Amino acid sequence: MCIKFGPAGNADSFAAAGYKATVDAPQWLAGLGLQAYEYQCGRGIHVKEDTAKKIGEQAKQYDITLSLHAPYYINLSSCEPERIEKNISYVLGSCQIARALDAQHIVVHCGGVGKQSRDKAFANTIQNVQAILAATEQAGYSQTICLETMGKQSVIGSAEEICALTALDDRLLPCIDFGHLNARTVGKCNSYEAFCALFDLMENKIGLARTQHFHSHFSKIEYTQKGEMRHLTFADTVYGPEFAPLARVLAERGYQPVIICESAGTQAEDALAMQRIYQNALEKYAK
C-alpha cells in the first residue's frame, strides 16, 4: 500500500496500554499495522535533541514515517519585525528536531488575518514564507515545509490560498487538512465531487507530481458558520467529513500521500479505520 496512515501524537489507547514515552510509539504503531506518526510541537518545542534521535531510530527500525507539527503560534500573516523573527526561530527550531527525528515534513500554520485586509495578510504571508525558506537554506536544513489548510475563515488557509503559496517554491508542499476545509466551507468539502475539484485545483497550481505526494490531516470537526470549533472522533455522524469518498478519489488517481489522523483521542484507531476503508477502495476503484 502506497499511502501511509498514522496518528498525530499519542492516542488515549497508547497510555492505556501502559506506554509512557513516545520513544515506544513506533513499535506500538507498527504492531497495529500503521506506517506514519506526526510528532507534536504545536504547544512549543520541548523535546531534547537526544530524545528526538532515539524516537527517530525506533521509527527507522519499525518503518514508521515521521513528520513534525511546528508551534501553533507561528503567524506568517504578520508584518511586525519581532513576529517575523520569532516565526523564523520557531521554524528553525522545528527543523532541528525534525532532522534529529529524520522527519522530512514540517507542518506550519499561516496565521490569522486580524484587522488588516485579507490581501495584505496574504502578501505578508508570501514574504514571511520566502524569509523562512531563505533562513532554512542558510542553516543547511532540507525539510519540506508543509503549509496547512485551516478551519476558520478568519485565517489564511483556504485551499486556493495554500495552493497559491506552495506554488511559489518546490520546497513547499500543501498539508491538506480535510476536516479544516470542510469546517471553513461549512460542510461543502465532504463529497466525491468536492474532493475531485480540490485535487484538480492542486494539480493545476502545483503540478501532478507534487499533488500525488501531498501531506495530509484528516479528522471530523465540529463547525459553525465561521468555521472550526473542535476536533471530534469517527463516532460523529453530524459534521464530517467522511473518508469513504476521499478514499475513492485517492484510489482512482493513484495518489500516495501521508495521512495523519487528528481525531480527539482515538487518532490511532481512526487511522486504522481509514486504512481499511482505503484498502477496500483500492480493490474497487484502482485502475
Side-chain angles (χ1 to χ4, degrees), residues 177-180 217-221 231-232 234 240-241 261-263:
D177 189 312
F178 294 94
H180 281 167
H217 291 166
F218 194 98
S219 62
K220 296 187 176 186
I221 293 179
H231 285 240
L232 304 170
F234 275 25
C261 184
E262 290 190 322
S263 292

Side-chain angles (χ1 to χ4, degrees), residues 60-173:
K60 184 176 182 180
Q61 179 178 343
Y62 291 99
D63 199 23
I64 301 296
T65 295
L66 296 180
S67 53
L68 181 144
H69 201 304
Y72 298 139
Y73 34 80
I74 290 172
N75 185 357
L76 302 181
S77 62
S78 174
C79 61
E80 298 175 4
E82 183 178 355
R83 169 54 61 185
I84 293 171
E85 290 303 315
K86 285 184 177 180
N87 289 336
I88 292 173
S89 176
Y90 295 144
V91 173
L92 290 177
S94 298
C95 287
Q96 181 180 4
I97 298 303
R99 183 165 63 183
L101 290 167
D102 195 22
Q104 297 306 309
H105 288 172
I106 298 175
V107 178
V108 175
H109 291 178
C110 289
V113 173
K115 296 181 179 180
Q116 60 192 331
S117 71
R118 195 170 197 93
D119 286 346
K120 176 59 176 173
F122 189 73
N124 291 341
T125 303
I126 291 174
Q127 292 180 355
N128 279 301
V129 167
Q130 291 171 333
I132 284 171
L133 290 175
T136 56
E137 182 177 5
Q138 184 176 7
Y141 293 118
S142 60
Q143 288 84 5
T144 299
I145 303 297
C146 302
L147 300 178
E148 184 176 354
T149 58
M150 300 303 295
K152 294 183 178 179
Q153 297 166 7
S154 60
V155 175
I156 297 294
S158 68
E160 293 78 9
E161 288 167 337
I162 293 302
C163 284
L165 288 166
T166 52
L168 294 171
D169 196 290
D170 288 346
R171 291 171 290 177
L172 302 169
L173 200 65

Side-chain angles (χ1 to χ4, degrees), residues 1-8 29 33-38 59-60 62-67 102 104-105 212-218 243 250 254-261 267 270-272 274-276 278-279 282:
M1 185 174 60
C2 296
I3 294 182
K4 297 181 179 181
F5 294 90
L29 293 171
L34 295 169
Q35 312 85 26
Y37 180 82
E38 189 155 288
K60 184 176 182 180
Y62 291 99
D63 199 23
I64 301 296
T65 295
L66 296 180
S67 53
D102 195 22
Q104 297 306 309
H105 288 172
Q212 288 176 321
H213 299 281
F214 68 96
H215 194 72
S216 173
H217 291 166
F218 194 98
F243 186 69
L250 294 173
Y255 290 169
Q256 301 175 25
V258 172
I259 300 183
I260 298 297
C261 184
Q267 56 266 51
D270 291 350
L272 281 170
M274 286 193 290
Q275 183 169 281
R276 289 191 293 269
Y278 175 68
Q279 288 171 334
L282 271 182

